[in-house]
């Protein structure tokens, strides 16, 4: 990693380190990965840091081996993108993403973003439609793994029974976090490492 | 619960001496409107509450209105201060809790904040209520609000409502509008998220909503709640707006990505980061290392990275469950490195300075038996001297006896606390309020394993998830159907039979080991054959390998309805078997070998343990090869229906626990055993990794990895470590060490080394305090009696607190449900009002408004 140290200035590096949950090495690695995603003409340090110039389109980010197979990859990019059309990631967005998915991020932050990733229609609550879509992504699109409509209904009914504490038919963030707090595996599995 | 504490805690805060008043104030100030609104709701609890606040707190009202606390910006300063103090340890006294429980109005603090929120938030919450109370003050407020002027229709007024709405979101606008760069605020925000990040309270999320208006989560919640209300007003724009607002809590650089100057202040994360860093248990987290030390630290990380890489690959292919086995292995490895360093530096190095050259010959079989050449090395107890080591030129001396006993003792104490700490941590994280434990379909759905990156693994995981979901659903369906009596008796009979058979097998194994060991002892005194010493460890390892396989074949007969039960039953049986075998061996060592008048029995025991460990290692290699490799060959080539074997986490982890137990017993008899174990663990890590990568597939059942880890650490603590302590205590207090070798030769028992030392010290005036501590604290029965009583009292108190918390949780749960009902009710009201408002013309509405203004003036 010593060779890539020259790419980011020390101040910037320590700044990023302070602002994220990542270590220096991880930031450098992230930067390297990010530059590789950029088109060849803007593969330099200055360009890669200017958010206006270099945004990697979502399709390109999704080719990363860490995200390629993930069933929620498009949602992840969408949640972390700061572009108005939500279709591209700047380097800082990318760092954000890795920071949230890192080891050191607090369970609180992780569950917050998990909620947003699962909230497919971006309306701030998980309603039945969101849950349905979520289950569909979990079970995959193949014929033999899909749930029948009645199974789906029953499952959603169960999920709501368990997690919808105030019985309003949707799961909001705090209810979601409550469920997550009871599943200690969440923090270790909500993780993407470059 | 914690946040309730927090809330209570700030009553105690010295900065806020007049809180009881202001609390009443909060309650009373808001209660009028609140009670009105609540009367509509068919909700006895909150209604009672509201009444309560009326009758009790209303008299205070005029006074408090004049109180300076409320002169300015109502709640914000208070909230901030309250947040700042919440993590002071002083604000967590226990009596606080009991008080809060006993006082009839303990619900107030929460309610009041809720009230105040609804109060500040006329657009969203009071609005739907208003039509029923046209005379009420609130109604007037609402009518006078500028939003209303813009449009008479609720939906059309929304865009204008937006800034106001942000006010209602509590703090979010407070910083969004005014002091965005105010670092104070950021710090408060940070404080509050910090206890949450520890995950102390499971109710946190839900409760914070009620308690704290300035919590990130709650702002979101509130936003969504409001949105929810408003989305009926057909305004999706609004929803998105509020939602967009929210992420700025965590990532304000959404807005400031171009300006590096401000970024520092705008990242709340940076502050969270700084507070977390010292607490972070992760070693790979270097923190702000100074540039000077960069090279050494980074070198260290590069060596760690090898592991990190491997673990990542394993996680990517097999998920967290298999990963947990490997992290357990690395944890044990680190643990053994620690014990090796301790033993090596305090026992072995001084001994090496003294030792004579070893002139025994060495042959390769001795690597396995640990006898012969090794007998005269620092590996075993017998080689250590009982003399005091003196160096020329250095006046101080090094007493080997004391060094030996204190090093081992200290190591065991460190082990004890390490285990206790990790056990307590994982208990706290994983067994939080088990009484609300549910079937966990939600957990299955919400915890997708993001670490998996392999495409095939993802497909497999999806398939497994589908099966699991389907199984759970069918379980729920069949739950109500109780099986007929005959079938149940049948099941019970099978289980009983399986238990009898498994216990019988375990007892038979124990008996076999017992007779074999005693016979072996006799045989070895007659013949001097090295290979014969390997018989006992070989048999023990065979039992350890094949009996568990036999046990798991019971699974075909015993059909458990819940797979988790099967795992637990298998683990219980295996642990019973292994622990009883170790128990028999200990009995043999302490009762036969120790009194057999052999020279240096301690070394013999050490050799036995060494052989067991080595043999076990060989068997593990054999198992990886045959059990997994051949099984795969058979599964893929010959009998296709078997398929690729799954990685058996339970069996492998139990194996690790077993070897660790042996190691702990052996550490007294052979201080360098951790070094041997370190090497075997290191090799095992790589062998297992290769075998896993080549032969296995991920487990098909969802495996609650961290809950299992808790169980494993508990097992490592309870039968294993406590058993070891018993064995070593007997060795130290009861048994007579051998006469001609080892550091304790000639003493009636090992503990006499300490007695002698205290005798010597008591003649030296400078060390009388040590003697005093020994006599009055460590050696005194009274002291331990008092200590025990105190600990029992504390335990009882904590137990009572837990009981109290359970009641609180129940109450809060009910309250949340009631709030939900309120919400639904209010939403319905809102809908009705909107229906009603669509019909009348703007003219009549403005007329109505004027009427209200007139009534207000009067």
């Amino acid at each position: 990693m010593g060779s890539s140290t020259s790419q980011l200035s020390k101040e910037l590096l320590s700044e990023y380190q302070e602002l994220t949950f990542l270590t220096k090495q991880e930031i450098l690695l992230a930067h390297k990965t990010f530059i590789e995603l950029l088109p060849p003409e803007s593969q330099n340090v200055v360009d890669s840091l200017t958010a206006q110039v270099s945004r990697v389109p979502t399709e390109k980010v999704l080719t990363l081996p860490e995200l390629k197979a993930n069933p929620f990859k498009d949602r992840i990019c969408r949640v972390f993108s700061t572009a108005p059309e939500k279709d591209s990631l700047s380097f800082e967005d990318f760092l954000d993403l890795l920071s949230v998915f890192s080891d050191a991020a607090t369970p609180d932050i992780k569950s917050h973003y998990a909620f947003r990733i699962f909230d497919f229609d971006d309306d701030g609550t998980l309603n039945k439609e969101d849950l349905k879509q979520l289950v569909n992504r979990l079970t995959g699109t193949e014929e033999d793994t899909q749930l029948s409509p009645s199974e789906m209904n029953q499952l959603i009914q169960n999920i709501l029974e368990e997690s919808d504490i105030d019985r309003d038919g949707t799961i909001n963030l705090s209810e979601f976090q409550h469920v997550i707090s009871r599943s200690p595996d969440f923090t270790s599995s909500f993780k993407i490492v470059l | 619960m914690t946040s309730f504490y927090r809330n209570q805690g700030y009553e105690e805060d010295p900065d806020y001496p007049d809180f009881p008043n202001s609390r009443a104030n909060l309650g009373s100030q808001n209660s009028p409107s609140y009670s009105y609104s609540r009367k509509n709701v068919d909700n006895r609890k909150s209604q009672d509450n509201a009444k309560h606040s009326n009758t009790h707190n209303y008299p205070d009202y005029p006074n408090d209105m004049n109180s300076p606390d409320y002169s300015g910006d109502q709640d914000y300063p208070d909230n901030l201060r309250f947040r700042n103090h919440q993590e002071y340890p002083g604000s967590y006294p226990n009596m606080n809790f009991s008080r809060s429980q006993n006082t009839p109005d303990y619900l107030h603090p929460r309610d009041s904040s809720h009230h105040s929120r609804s109060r500040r938030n006329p657009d969203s919450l009071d609005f739907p209520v208003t039509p029923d109370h046209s005379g009420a003050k609130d109604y007037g407020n609402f009518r006078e609000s500028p939003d209303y002027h813009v449009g008479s229709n609720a939906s059309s007024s929304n865009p204008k409502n937006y800034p106001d709405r942000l006010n209602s979101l509590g703090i979010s606008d407070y910083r969004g509008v005014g002091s965005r760069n105010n670092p104070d605020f950021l710090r408060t925000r940070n404080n509050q998220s910090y206890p949450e990040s520890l995950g102390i309270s499971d109710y946190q999320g839900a409760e914070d909503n009620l308690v704290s208006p300035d919590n990130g989560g709650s702002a979101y919640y509130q936003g969504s709640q409001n949105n929810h209300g408003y989305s009926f007003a057909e305004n999706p724009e609004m929803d998105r707006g509020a939602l967009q607002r929210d992420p700025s809590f965590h990532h304000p650089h959404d807005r400031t990505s171009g300006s590096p100057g401000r970024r520092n202040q705008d990242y709340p994360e940076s502050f969270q980061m700084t507070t977390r860093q010292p607490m972070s248990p992760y070693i790979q987290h270097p923190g702000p290392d100074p540039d000077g030390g960069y090279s050494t630290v980074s070198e260290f990380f590069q060596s760690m990275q090898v592991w990190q890489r491997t673990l990542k690959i394993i996680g990517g292919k097999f998920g967290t469950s298999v990963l947990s086995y490997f992290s357990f292995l690395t944890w044990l490895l680190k643990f053994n490195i620690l014990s090796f360093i301790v033993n090596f530096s305090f026992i072995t190095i001084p001994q090496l300075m003294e030792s004579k050259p070893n002139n025994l010959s060495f042959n390769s079989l001795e690597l396995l038996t640990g006898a012969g050449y090794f007998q005269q090395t620092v590996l075993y107890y017998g080689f250590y001297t009982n003399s005091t080591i003196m160096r020329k030129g250095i006046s101080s001396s090094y007493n080997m006896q004391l060094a030996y006993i204190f090093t081992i003792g200290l190591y065991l104490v460190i082990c004890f606390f390490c285990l206790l700490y990790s056990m307590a941590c994982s208990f706290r994280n994983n067994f939080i309020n088990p009484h609300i434990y549910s079937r966990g379909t939600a957990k299955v759905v919400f915890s997708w394993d993001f670490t998996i990156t392999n495409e095939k693994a993802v497909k497999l995981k999806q398939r497994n998830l589908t099966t699991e979901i389907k199984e759970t659903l069918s379980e729920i369906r069949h739950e109500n159907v109780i099986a007929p009596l005959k079938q149940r008796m049948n099941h019970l009979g099978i289980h009983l039979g399986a238990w009898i058979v498994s216990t019988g097998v375990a007892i038979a194994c124990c008996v076999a080991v017992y007779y074999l060991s005693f016979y072996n002892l006799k045989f070895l005194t007659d013949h001097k054959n090295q290979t014969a010493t390997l018989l006992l460890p070989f048999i023990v390892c065979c039992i350890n390998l094949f009996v568990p396989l036999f046990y798991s074949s019971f699974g075909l007969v015993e059909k458990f309805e819940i797979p988790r039960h099967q795992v637990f039953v298998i683990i219980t049986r295996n642990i019973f078997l292994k622990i009883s075998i170790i128990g028999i061996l200990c009995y043999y060592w302490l009762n036969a070998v120790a009194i057999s008048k052999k020279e240096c029995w301690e070394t013999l025991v050490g050799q036995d343990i060494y052989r067991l460990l080595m043999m076990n290692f060989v068997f593990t290699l054999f198992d990886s090869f045959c059990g997994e490799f051949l099984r795969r060959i058979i599964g893929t080539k010959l009998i296709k229906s078997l398929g690729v074997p799954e990685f058996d986490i339970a069996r492998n982890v139990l194996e690790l626990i077993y070897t660790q137990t042996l190691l702990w017993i052996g550490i007294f008899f052979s201080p360098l055993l951790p070094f041997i174990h370190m090497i075997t663990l290191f090799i095992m890590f790589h062998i297992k990794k290769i075998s896993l990568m080549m032969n296995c597939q991920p487990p098909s059942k969802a495996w609650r990895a961290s809950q299992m880890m808790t169980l494993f650490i508990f097992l490592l603590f309870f039968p294993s470590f406590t058993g070891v302590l018993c064995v070593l205590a007997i060795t130290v207090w009861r048994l007579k060490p051998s006469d001609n070798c080892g550091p304790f030769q000639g003493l009636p028992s090992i503990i006499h080394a300490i007695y002698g030392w205290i005798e010597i010290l008591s003649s030296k005036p400078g060390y009388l305090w040590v003697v005093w501590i020994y006599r009055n604290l460590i050696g005194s029965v009274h002291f331990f009696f008092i200590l025990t009583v105190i600990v029992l009292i504390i335990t009882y108190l904590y137990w009572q607190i837990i009981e109290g918390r359970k009641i609180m949780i129940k109450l809060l749960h009910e309250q949340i449900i009631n709030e939900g009902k309120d919400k639904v009710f209010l939403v319905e009201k809102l809908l009705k009002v909107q229906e009603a408002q669509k019909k009348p013309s703007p003219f009549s509405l403005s007329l109505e408004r004027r009427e209200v203004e007139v009534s207000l003036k009067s």
Side-chain angles (χ1 to χ4, degrees), chain B residues 4-16:
Chain B
F4 184 67
Y5 261 137
R6 271 192 253 136
N7 210 5
Q8 287 288 321
Y10 86 116
E11 285 179 62
E12 299 280 309
D13 210 284
D15 282 6
Y16 211 108

mmCIF file with all atom_site columns, all heavy atoms in Angstrom, chain B residues 4-16:
data_model
loop_
_atom_site.group_PDB
_atom_site.id
_atom_site.type_symbol
_atom_site.label_atom_id
_atom_site.label_alt_id
_atom_site.label_comp_id
_atom_site.label_asym_id
_atom_site.label_entity_id
_atom_site.label_seq_id
_atom_site.pdbx_PDB_ins_code
_atom_site.Cartn_x
_atom_site.Cartn_y
_atom_site.Cartn_z
_atom_site.occupancy
_atom_site.B_iso_or_equiv
_atom_site.pdbx_formal_charge
_atom_site.auth_seq_id
_atom_site.auth_comp_id
_atom_site.auth_asym_id
_atom_site.auth_atom_id
_atom_site.pdbx_PDB_model_num
ATOM 1   N N   . PHE B 1 4  ? -35.221 5.878  29.296 1.00 0.00 ? 4  PHE B N   1
ATOM 2   C CA  . PHE B 1 4  ? -36.084 6.309  30.376 1.00 0.00 ? 4  PHE B CA  1
ATOM 3   C C   . PHE B 1 4  ? -35.235 6.770  31.541 1.00 0.00 ? 4  PHE B C   1
ATOM 4   O O   . PHE B 1 4  ? -35.479 7.787  32.153 1.00 0.00 ? 4  PHE B O   1
ATOM 5   C CB  . PHE B 1 4  ? -36.990 5.156  30.813 1.00 0.00 ? 4  PHE B CB  1
ATOM 6   C CG  . PHE B 1 4  ? -37.964 5.591  31.862 1.00 0.00 ? 4  PHE B CG  1
ATOM 7   C CD1 . PHE B 1 4  ? -38.955 6.489  31.559 1.00 0.00 ? 4  PHE B CD1 1
ATOM 8   C CD2 . PHE B 1 4  ? -37.839 5.131  33.149 1.00 0.00 ? 4  PHE B CD2 1
ATOM 9   C CE1 . PHE B 1 4  ? -39.826 6.905  32.527 1.00 0.00 ? 4  PHE B CE1 1
ATOM 10  C CE2 . PHE B 1 4  ? -38.712 5.555  34.115 1.00 0.00 ? 4  PHE B CE2 1
ATOM 11  C CZ  . PHE B 1 4  ? -39.713 6.443  33.810 1.00 0.00 ? 4  PHE B CZ  1
ATOM 12  N N   . TYR B 1 5  ? -34.230 6.032  31.799 1.00 0.00 ? 5  TYR B N   1
ATOM 13  C CA  . TYR B 1 5  ? -33.274 6.439  32.800 1.00 0.00 ? 5  TYR B CA  1
ATOM 14  C C   . TYR B 1 5  ? -32.746 7.815  32.518 1.00 0.00 ? 5  TYR B C   1
ATOM 15  O O   . TYR B 1 5  ? -32.642 8.647  33.375 1.00 0.00 ? 5  TYR B O   1
ATOM 16  C CB  . TYR B 1 5  ? -32.068 5.507  32.764 1.00 0.00 ? 5  TYR B CB  1
ATOM 17  C CG  . TYR B 1 5  ? -32.118 4.467  33.805 1.00 0.00 ? 5  TYR B CG  1
ATOM 18  C CD1 . TYR B 1 5  ? -31.780 3.166  33.515 1.00 0.00 ? 5  TYR B CD1 1
ATOM 19  C CD2 . TYR B 1 5  ? -32.506 4.793  35.081 1.00 0.00 ? 5  TYR B CD2 1
ATOM 20  C CE1 . TYR B 1 5  ? -31.828 2.215  34.461 1.00 0.00 ? 5  TYR B CE1 1
ATOM 21  C CE2 . TYR B 1 5  ? -32.549 3.826  36.040 1.00 0.00 ? 5  TYR B CE2 1
ATOM 22  C CZ  . TYR B 1 5  ? -32.216 2.538  35.730 1.00 0.00 ? 5  TYR B CZ  1
ATOM 23  O OH  . TYR B 1 5  ? -32.247 1.582  36.676 1.00 0.00 ? 5  TYR B OH  1
ATOM 24  N N   . ARG B 1 6  ? -32.386 7.960  31.292 1.00 0.00 ? 6  ARG B N   1
ATOM 25  C CA  . ARG B 1 6  ? -31.791 9.225  30.922 1.00 0.00 ? 6  ARG B CA  1
ATOM 26  C C   . ARG B 1 6  ? -32.743 10.340 31.251 1.00 0.00 ? 6  ARG B C   1
ATOM 27  O O   . ARG B 1 6  ? -32.396 11.333 31.830 1.00 0.00 ? 6  ARG B O   1
ATOM 28  C CB  . ARG B 1 6  ? -31.510 9.227  29.422 1.00 0.00 ? 6  ARG B CB  1
ATOM 29  C CG  . ARG B 1 6  ? -30.156 8.695  29.091 1.00 0.00 ? 6  ARG B CG  1
ATOM 30  C CD  . ARG B 1 6  ? -29.875 9.013  27.682 1.00 0.00 ? 6  ARG B CD  1
ATOM 31  N NE  . ARG B 1 6  ? -29.961 7.804  26.887 1.00 0.00 ? 6  ARG B NE  1
ATOM 32  C CZ  . ARG B 1 6  ? -30.557 7.730  25.750 1.00 0.00 ? 6  ARG B CZ  1
ATOM 33  N NH1 . ARG B 1 6  ? -31.179 8.773  25.249 1.00 0.00 ? 6  ARG B NH1 1
ATOM 34  N NH2 . ARG B 1 6  ? -30.546 6.618  25.083 1.00 0.00 ? 6  ARG B NH2 1
ATOM 35  N N   . ASN B 1 7  ? -33.939 10.071 30.901 1.00 0.00 ? 7  ASN B N   1
ATOM 36  C CA  . ASN B 1 7  ? -34.933 11.083 31.118 1.00 0.00 ? 7  ASN B CA  1
ATOM 37  C C   . ASN B 1 7  ? -35.036 11.386 32.594 1.00 0.00 ? 7  ASN B C   1
ATOM 38  O O   . ASN B 1 7  ? -35.098 12.522 33.019 1.00 0.00 ? 7  ASN B O   1
ATOM 39  C CB  . ASN B 1 7  ? -36.267 10.557 30.580 1.00 0.00 ? 7  ASN B CB  1
ATOM 40  C CG  . ASN B 1 7  ? -37.103 11.687 30.100 1.00 0.00 ? 7  ASN B CG  1
ATOM 41  O OD1 . ASN B 1 7  ? -36.631 12.814 30.092 1.00 0.00 ? 7  ASN B OD1 1
ATOM 42  N ND2 . ASN B 1 7  ? -38.310 11.398 29.732 1.00 0.00 ? 7  ASN B ND2 1
ATOM 43  N N   . GLN B 1 8  ? -35.064 10.333 33.359 1.00 0.00 ? 8  GLN B N   1
ATOM 44  C CA  . GLN B 1 8  ? -35.124 10.514 34.790 1.00 0.00 ? 8  GLN B CA  1
ATOM 45  C C   . GLN B 1 8  ? -33.841 11.139 35.274 1.00 0.00 ? 8  GLN B C   1
ATOM 46  O O   . GLN B 1 8  ? -33.828 11.945 36.176 1.00 0.00 ? 8  GLN B O   1
ATOM 47  C CB  . GLN B 1 8  ? -35.292 9.150  35.461 1.00 0.00 ? 8  GLN B CB  1
ATOM 48  C CG  . GLN B 1 8  ? -36.661 8.584  35.281 1.00 0.00 ? 8  GLN B CG  1
ATOM 49  C CD  . GLN B 1 8  ? -37.664 9.317  36.115 1.00 0.00 ? 8  GLN B CD  1
ATOM 50  O OE1 . GLN B 1 8  ? -37.362 9.687  37.236 1.00 0.00 ? 8  GLN B OE1 1
ATOM 51  N NE2 . GLN B 1 8  ? -38.826 9.548  35.588 1.00 0.00 ? 8  GLN B NE2 1
ATOM 52  N N   . GLY B 1 9  ? -32.791 10.730 34.645 1.00 0.00 ? 9  GLY B N   1
ATOM 53  C CA  . GLY B 1 9  ? -31.480 11.119 35.110 1.00 0.00 ? 9  GLY B CA  1
ATOM 54  C C   . GLY B 1 9  ? -31.326 12.619 35.137 1.00 0.00 ? 9  GLY B C   1
ATOM 55  O O   . GLY B 1 9  ? -30.675 13.159 36.015 1.00 0.00 ? 9  GLY B O   1
ATOM 56  N N   . TYR B 1 10 ? -31.914 13.288 34.245 1.00 0.00 ? 10 TYR B N   1
ATOM 57  C CA  . TYR B 1 10 ? -31.623 14.689 34.247 1.00 0.00 ? 10 TYR B CA  1
ATOM 58  C C   . TYR B 1 10 ? -32.383 15.449 35.304 1.00 0.00 ? 10 TYR B C   1
ATOM 59  O O   . TYR B 1 10 ? -32.108 16.590 35.577 1.00 0.00 ? 10 TYR B O   1
ATOM 60  C CB  . TYR B 1 10 ? -31.759 15.278 32.843 1.00 0.00 ? 10 TYR B CB  1
ATOM 61  C CG  . TYR B 1 10 ? -33.096 15.739 32.365 1.00 0.00 ? 10 TYR B CG  1
ATOM 62  C CD1 . TYR B 1 10 ? -33.286 17.085 32.082 1.00 0.00 ? 10 TYR B CD1 1
ATOM 63  C CD2 . TYR B 1 10 ? -34.135 14.865 32.156 1.00 0.00 ? 10 TYR B CD2 1
ATOM 64  C CE1 . TYR B 1 10 ? -34.505 17.524 31.601 1.00 0.00 ? 10 TYR B CE1 1
ATOM 65  C CE2 . TYR B 1 10 ? -35.333 15.308 31.675 1.00 0.00 ? 10 TYR B CE2 1
ATOM 66  C CZ  . TYR B 1 10 ? -35.524 16.638 31.396 1.00 0.00 ? 10 TYR B CZ  1
ATOM 67  O OH  . TYR B 1 10 ? -36.705 17.075 30.915 1.00 0.00 ? 10 TYR B OH  1
ATOM 68  N N   . GLU B 1 11 ? -33.263 14.773 35.959 1.00 0.00 ? 11 GLU B N   1
ATOM 69  C CA  . GLU B 1 11 ? -33.831 15.389 37.143 1.00 0.00 ? 11 GLU B CA  1
ATOM 70  C C   . GLU B 1 11 ? -32.761 15.586 38.203 1.00 0.00 ? 11 GLU B C   1
ATOM 71  O O   . GLU B 1 11 ? -32.795 16.521 38.983 1.00 0.00 ? 11 GLU B O   1
ATOM 72  C CB  . GLU B 1 11 ? -34.901 14.473 37.737 1.00 0.00 ? 11 GLU B CB  1
ATOM 73  C CG  . GLU B 1 11 ? -36.172 14.481 36.962 1.00 0.00 ? 11 GLU B CG  1
ATOM 74  C CD  . GLU B 1 11 ? -37.150 13.549 37.605 1.00 0.00 ? 11 GLU B CD  1
ATOM 75  O OE1 . GLU B 1 11 ? -37.502 13.805 38.759 1.00 0.00 ? 11 GLU B OE1 1
ATOM 76  O OE2 . GLU B 1 11 ? -37.528 12.564 36.957 1.00 0.00 ? 11 GLU B OE2 1
ATOM 77  N N   . GLU B 1 12 ? -31.847 14.654 38.243 1.00 0.00 ? 12 GLU B N   1
ATOM 78  C CA  . GLU B 1 12 ? -30.829 14.696 39.266 1.00 0.00 ? 12 GLU B CA  1
ATOM 79  C C   . GLU B 1 12 ? -29.749 15.695 38.924 1.00 0.00 ? 12 GLU B C   1
ATOM 80  O O   . GLU B 1 12 ? -28.853 15.932 39.706 1.00 0.00 ? 12 GLU B O   1
ATOM 81  C CB  . GLU B 1 12 ? -30.201 13.311 39.386 1.00 0.00 ? 12 GLU B CB  1
ATOM 82  C CG  . GLU B 1 12 ? -31.163 12.232 39.785 1.00 0.00 ? 12 GLU B CG  1
ATOM 83  C CD  . GLU B 1 12 ? -31.390 12.251 41.256 1.00 0.00 ? 12 GLU B CD  1
ATOM 84  O OE1 . GLU B 1 12 ? -30.423 12.260 41.993 1.00 0.00 ? 12 GLU B OE1 1
ATOM 85  O OE2 . GLU B 1 12 ? -32.547 12.256 41.652 1.00 0.00 ? 12 GLU B OE2 1
ATOM 86  N N   . ASP B 1 13 ? -29.812 16.178 37.732 1.00 0.00 ? 13 ASP B N   1
ATOM 87  C CA  . ASP B 1 13 ? -28.709 16.975 37.259 1.00 0.00 ? 13 ASP B CA  1
ATOM 88  C C   . ASP B 1 13 ? -28.564 18.267 38.030 1.00 0.00 ? 13 ASP B C   1
ATOM 89  O O   . ASP B 1 13 ? -29.526 18.986 38.235 1.00 0.00 ? 13 ASP B O   1
ATOM 90  C CB  . ASP B 1 13 ? -28.952 17.285 35.784 1.00 0.00 ? 13 ASP B CB  1
ATOM 91  C CG  . ASP B 1 13 ? -27.665 17.428 35.084 1.00 0.00 ? 13 ASP B CG  1
ATOM 92  O OD1 . ASP B 1 13 ? -27.048 18.480 35.266 1.00 0.00 ? 13 ASP B OD1 1
ATOM 93  O OD2 . ASP B 1 13 ? -27.266 16.473 34.397 1.00 0.00 ? 13 ASP B OD2 1
ATOM 94  N N   . PRO B 1 14 ? -27.364 18.555 38.487 1.00 0.00 ? 14 PRO B N   1
ATOM 95  C CA  . PRO B 1 14 ? -27.168 19.775 39.264 1.00 0.00 ? 14 PRO B CA  1
ATOM 96  C C   . PRO B 1 14 ? -27.448 21.037 38.455 1.00 0.00 ? 14 PRO B C   1
ATOM 97  O O   . PRO B 1 14 ? -27.802 22.057 39.030 1.00 0.00 ? 14 PRO B O   1
ATOM 98  C CB  . PRO B 1 14 ? -25.703 19.706 39.676 1.00 0.00 ? 14 PRO B CB  1
ATOM 99  C CG  . PRO B 1 14 ? -25.077 18.724 38.766 1.00 0.00 ? 14 PRO B CG  1
ATOM 100 C CD  . PRO B 1 14 ? -26.148 17.768 38.394 1.00 0.00 ? 14 PRO B CD  1
ATOM 101 N N   . ASP B 1 15 ? -27.291 20.950 37.172 1.00 0.00 ? 15 ASP B N   1
ATOM 102 C CA  . ASP B 1 15 ? -27.519 22.138 36.349 1.00 0.00 ? 15 ASP B CA  1
ATOM 103 C C   . ASP B 1 15 ? -28.987 22.492 36.261 1.00 0.00 ? 15 ASP B C   1
ATOM 104 O O   . ASP B 1 15 ? -29.351 23.478 35.652 1.00 0.00 ? 15 ASP B O   1
ATOM 105 C CB  . ASP B 1 15 ? -26.999 21.885 34.924 1.00 0.00 ? 15 ASP B CB  1
ATOM 106 C CG  . ASP B 1 15 ? -25.511 22.025 34.884 1.00 0.00 ? 15 ASP B CG  1
ATOM 107 O OD1 . ASP B 1 15 ? -24.921 22.201 35.969 1.00 0.00 ? 15 ASP B OD1 1
ATOM 108 O OD2 . ASP B 1 15 ? -24.959 21.966 33.797 1.00 0.00 ? 15 ASP B OD2 1
ATOM 109 N N   . TYR B 1 16 ? -29.774 21.687 36.798 1.00 0.00 ? 16 TYR B N   1
ATOM 110 C CA  . TYR B 1 16 ? -31.189 21.858 36.537 1.00 0.00 ? 16 TYR B CA  1
ATOM 111 C C   . TYR B 1 16 ? -31.954 21.695 37.832 1.00 0.00 ? 16 TYR B C   1
ATOM 112 O O   . TYR B 1 16 ? -32.746 20.777 37.982 1.00 0.00 ? 16 TYR B O   1
ATOM 113 C CB  . TYR B 1 16 ? -31.627 20.808 35.524 1.00 0.00 ? 16 TYR B CB  1
ATOM 114 C CG  . TYR B 1 16 ? -32.736 21.277 34.655 1.00 0.00 ? 16 TYR B CG  1
ATOM 115 C CD1 . TYR B 1 16 ? -32.499 21.587 33.328 1.00 0.00 ? 16 TYR B CD1 1
ATOM 116 C CD2 . TYR B 1 16 ? -34.024 21.408 35.167 1.00 0.00 ? 16 TYR B CD2 1
ATOM 117 C CE1 . TYR B 1 16 ? -33.521 22.020 32.531 1.00 0.00 ? 16 TYR B CE1 1
ATOM 118 C CE2 . TYR B 1 16 ? -35.029 21.842 34.369 1.00 0.00 ? 16 TYR B CE2 1
ATOM 119 C CZ  . TYR B 1 16 ? -34.793 22.155 33.055 1.00 0.00 ? 16 TYR B CZ  1
ATOM 120 O OH  . TYR B 1 16 ? -35.793 22.576 32.261 1.00 0.00 ? 16 TYR B OH  1
#
